[in-house]
């Protein structure tokens, strides 16, 4: 199926999106992570679009979407609101979410803030916010692996990421995928073009600069976040796809996650890293489609039984 593009004018921002399956009754919104854009879902959209209206926006600040100048425009509140308003743009109160990395942080947050809107949540290598916050305080390996989150807040980091045609950023993320044939020259060109749009890198880094989550090692006397675990119970059916070779997220991120996500299915991918959509594109598409179609059938049956 052909991927088409459009723009959604929301209350305070215009988001670019890619879509497949317009005309289907049920909306599925795909949320990408850092430093990607809608393109990370290019191999999943046509599959999901056979049964659903599949929409993958460029998050605010990324690629062709608007880039607000105010750094506070990238706090979690506006990011949640973008998802809700995007659904309204397409005429939906309720929708499914598929998410990865920073998109997963938004996905978890939307599900927590608006469980009545989210019919189901798929998370690909995106840590649950409460568990992740504690690991950033107590787990030395996770703290070490997440040092980049602190580095991305430093002045001048934009210049490092932009230098030499974004060479450092490319090497840090997708160089090996390009070398082993999982990404093409056309894919590389698409990412470099998105990253080099004026102001894009700064906008992308604003997500980190506004996040309350950053390494806070108790071992060094750093004060942790005071969070109520009961406020982080996800009351939405959830599929968690987890590449076990993730270079940034330690396995402890999924230990005990059932306590916070009671209606949960976990799919572990032993030979896949953080970049699941690139390394296992067909499996991701197949598993997400199966989860969504099965969940929709169960929800429709329950709805009909209640009549």
């Amino acid at each position: 199926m052909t991927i088409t593009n459009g723009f959604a004018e929301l209350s305070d921002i215009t988001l670019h999106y890619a879509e497949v399956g317009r005309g289907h009754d049920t909306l599925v919104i795909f949320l990408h992570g850092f430093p990607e854009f809608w393109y990370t879902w290019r191999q999943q959209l046509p599959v999901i679009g056979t049964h659903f209206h599949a929409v993958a926006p460029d998050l605010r600040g990324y690629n062709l979407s608007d880039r607000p100048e105010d750094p506070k425009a990238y706090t979690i509140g506006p990011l949640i609101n973008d998802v809700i308003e995007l659904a309204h743009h397409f005429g939906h109160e309720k929708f499914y979410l598929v998410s990865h990395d920073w998109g997963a942080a938004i996905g978890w947050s939307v599900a927590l803030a608006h469980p009545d809107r989210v019919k189901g949540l798929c998370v690909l290598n995106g840590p649950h916010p409460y568990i992740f916050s504690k690991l950033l305080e107590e787990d030395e390996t996770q703290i070490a692996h997440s040092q980049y989150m602190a580095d991305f807040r430093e002045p001048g980091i934009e210049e490092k990421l932009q230098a030499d045609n974004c060479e450092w950023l490319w090497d840090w993320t997708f160089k090996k995928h390009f070398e082993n044939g999982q990404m093409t020259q056309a894919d590389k060109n698409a990412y470099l073009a998105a990253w080099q749009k004026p102001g894009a890198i700064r906008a992308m880094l604003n997500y980190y600069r506004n996040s309350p989550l950053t390494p806070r090692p108790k071992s060094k006397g750093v004060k942790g976040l005071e969070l109520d675990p009961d406020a982080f119970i996800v009351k939405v059916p959830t599929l968690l796809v987890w590449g076990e070779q993730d270079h940034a997220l330690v396995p402890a991120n999924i230990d005990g996650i059932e306590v916070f996500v009671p209606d949960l299915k976990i799919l572990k991918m032993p030979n896949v890293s953080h970049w699941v959509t690139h390394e296992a594109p067909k499996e991701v598409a197949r598993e997400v489609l199966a989860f969504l179609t099965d969940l929709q059938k169960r929800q429709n049956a329950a709805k009909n039984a209640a009549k």
Side-chain angles (χ1 to χ4, degrees):
M1 300 183 72
T2 302
I3 297 174
T4 58
N5 293 263
F7 290 87
E9 294 186 9
L10 310 184
S11 61
D12 67 337
I13 199 168
T14 298
L15 297 183
H16 168 263
Y17 62 84
E19 66 175 339
V20 177
R22 183 183 282 263
H24 286 301
D25 293 334
T26 306
L27 178 65
V28 182
I29 298 176
F30 291 74
L31 304 175
H32 66 81
F34 177 94
E36 305 216 71
F37 60 112
W38 77 262
Y39 194 76
T40 189
W41 305 110
R42 66 194 180 282
Q43 298 184 76
Q44 288 77 44
L45 288 175
V47 177
I48 309 304
T50 59
H51 293 78
F52 300 91
H53 182 195
V55 176
D58 290 325
L59 300 181
R60 61 167 58 200
Y62 282 81
N63 193 38
L64 299 178
S65 288
D66 283 353
R67 278 182 273 286
E69 289 294 327
D70 184 0
K72 296 301 181 183
Y74 301 87
T75 56
I76 196 62
L79 298 173
I80 292 173
N81 194 55
D82 285 350
V83 177
I84 299 300
E85 287 198 22
L86 184 63
H88 286 167
H89 172 82
F90 290 106
H92 293 272
E93 288 291 319
K94 298 184 178 183
F95 48 88
Y96 295 102
L97 279 177
V98 182
S99 59
H100 173 249
D101 187 77
W102 249 107
I106 301 169
W108 288 120
S109 299
V110 174
L112 288 167
H114 300 283
D116 56 324
R117 303 286 186 90
V118 182
K119 299 172 68 176
L121 172 66
C122 298
V123 172
L124 285 61
N125 283 69
H128 181 276
Y130 184 86
I131 296 174
F132 192 44
S133 72
K134 293 305 171 186
L135 291 174
L136 287 173
E137 295 170 4
E138 302 169 359
D139 188 292
E140 294 299 331
T141 302
Q142 184 62 75
I143 290 169
H145 287 188
S146 298
Q147 182 56 44
Y148 74 91
M149 297 173 65
D151 295 341
F152 282 176
R153 297 166 182 251
E154 294 296 321
I157 189 66
E158 289 93 338
E159 286 72 19
K160 177 180 178 179
L161 270 58
Q162 292 168 337
D164 299 319
N165 202 29
C166 298
E167 181 178 6
W168 183 91
L169 185 56
W170 177 256
D171 289 352
W172 187 64
T173 51
F174 303 128
K175 180 180 179 179
K176 71 173 185 177
H177 300 93
F178 180 70
E179 292 176 343
N180 67 20
Q182 290 174 324
M183 296 180 75
T184 66
Q185 184 64 50
D187 297 333
K188 181 176 182 179
N189 293 344
Y191 277 99
L192 294 180
W195 296 343
Q196 294 181 83
K197 286 181 167 47
I201 293 291
R202 177 172 286 104
M204 293 154 61
L205 291 171
N206 279 336
Y207 282 68
Y208 290 96
R209 287 168 171 160
N210 283 285
S211 173
L213 298 183
T214 191
R216 287 186 169 91
K218 287 184 177 179
S219 61
K220 296 183 179 179
V222 180
K223 182 178 175 57
L225 296 176
E226 296 181 2
L227 302 176
D228 177 7
D230 291 338
F232 290 87
I233 304 298
V234 178
K235 302 174 182 177
V236 171
T238 301
L239 169 67
L240 178 63
V241 178
W242 198 263
E244 294 188 287
Q245 302 302 315
D246 196 313
H247 64 280
L249 301 171
V250 300
N253 276 283
I254 61 175
D255 291 346
I257 193 172
E258 297 88 351
V259 173
F260 294 95
V261 193
D263 190 349
L264 176 67
K265 176 183 178 181
I266 300 178
L267 174 64
K268 296 180 181 179
M269 295 185 171
N271 300 313
V272 176
S273 79
H274 184 75
W275 307 108
V276 285
T277 60
H278 302 292
E279 296 175 25
K282 292 182 180 179
E283 188 173 1
V284 167
R286 182 175 66 248
E287 294 294 339
V288 168
L289 179 61
F291 176 77
L292 294 177
T293 53
D294 179 68
L295 181 56
Q296 185 180 48
K297 287 177 183 178
R298 289 192 284 118
Q299 290 171 337
N300 287 342
K303 186 176 180 180
N304 291 334
K307 290 181 178 180

